[in-house]
Amino acid sequence: MRRSLAGVALAVTSMVALSFLIPLAALVMSLVKEQSVTAAEQRAAALAPVLALTTDPSALRESAASLDAAEYVVVHLPDEPALGTSRAPAALLERAEQGRESISQRMSGGWICLQPVVLPGDQVAVIENFVPEEELTRGVTASWTVMLLLAVGLVGGSVLVADRLGAKVVRSSKRLAHASQALGRGNLDARVDPMGPRELREAGIAFNTMAHRMTELLAVERELVADLSHRLRTPLTALHLATERMAGSPESARVEAAVCALETELRAIITAARTPLAVGPMGQGMLGPETGGTHRATNPGPAGPRCEAADVVRRRTAFWAVLAEQQDRPCSLDLTQEPAAVGLSEDDVAAVVDALIGNVFRHTPPGTAFAVRVARTAQAVELVVEDEGPGIPEPDQALSRGSSTGSSGLGLDIARRAGSVTGGSVRIARGPRGGARITVVFGLAAPLPSGRASRGSRRRTGWPRGR
């Protein structure tokens, strides 16, 4: 922008300077020539009274010598040689003598002035005054140089002023842009110091007001989520009491374990809802391309959150295997033996696994087999959950949060955001057994400085019955 403003100032000032400089230069040259010719005509007119008094060559030479540029003054007397070195063409002299007219015109090498003087006896003498070319342009070069330097100074000064003004505008714009980018990356404390022109100051004030209001709204929303989650403690307490009354029955231990797990998840939700805004990878993941944020790098640094995806998947699959056995669902688990560290916390990866396996239980009938697989590639970790159910008829629509028929779409949205945080993605396809196959790709986390690698889990393949 500074270059643009400086370029505009340079172009405009240059055109203005040229529009004045060219006519002024021509005027200077014309004035110098006119002054030189006028001086020559005045010298010839000053010698005319002397001719009216005497035609003595000595007196004429003495009078001519008292004039400026005497070497160029020549007197042509009738029937006598010229007094001085004549430069006028013979035709012009004859024309001035016979026509008795004053002649002033350009000729080769300069300007010639011929002034006829009528002598006693009706004779005509001609006074010749020659102005050389250098006299016609004397001082023109110096005048042009001064005007050119003045024009260059004016143009340079205007460009400098425009650059200073542009720098102030650009500095204000850059600060506003940097604050907007910081806010988009999840830094809700980003503010801008309003400065620059009035319009940019108003934009900075509006940005600060927007950021402050957005922070307030997000805080209120998170408090509302925490309050709603807290209200679920009442039915959980009732479930605890119910399990106590069921003590001794075969199902009491399983129900109590499920209630305890649900209460643990609820406490985690309340804690997460009341932590500072946009904390953690999943908080950053919510600020994806749809909202103008930026994703994390494909390989997050060792200082960020990380976990072994295979270990988390093994633990969560074992949790769901109990319910799978109750519903007579065959379940298989296939884990990579290589290190599979990803740039997410264990809770984030567990949320993805629970969302995908939970979809299998919600959208397929009991007895439907499913499989969970974790594979390691050169740059990524792939989590694959597939089942033998009816599949997903509209995969693209299923990834749109809240748009799936009969479903909120939150499960796949959680998986999509978790993958995008690490530079990965989510793919929905039809598996070899006709059901849905959902693949979540996580970018590999950077290796730890110690170089320790996680131990792989023992691989199990096939579709065995759940344990």
Side-chain angles (χ1 to χ4, degrees), residues 321 324-325 328-334 367-372 388 433 459-467:
E325 183 178 2
D328 197 26
R329 292 178 182 269
C331 170
S332 68
L333 177 63
D334 185 5
T368 303
F370 70 95
V372 180
E388 296 183 357
R433 297 175 179 267
R459 184 185 298 268
R460 295 181 58 226
T461 58
W463 292 82
R465 305 287 292 184
R467 298 191 299 274

Side-chain angles (χ1 to χ4, degrees), residues 397-419:
Q397 186 179 1
L399 286 175
S400 299
R401 182 168 180 165
S403 62
S404 302
T405 304
S407 171
S408 64
L410 295 179
L412 293 178
D413 184 69
I414 292 174
R416 179 189 62 81
R417 289 188 291 116

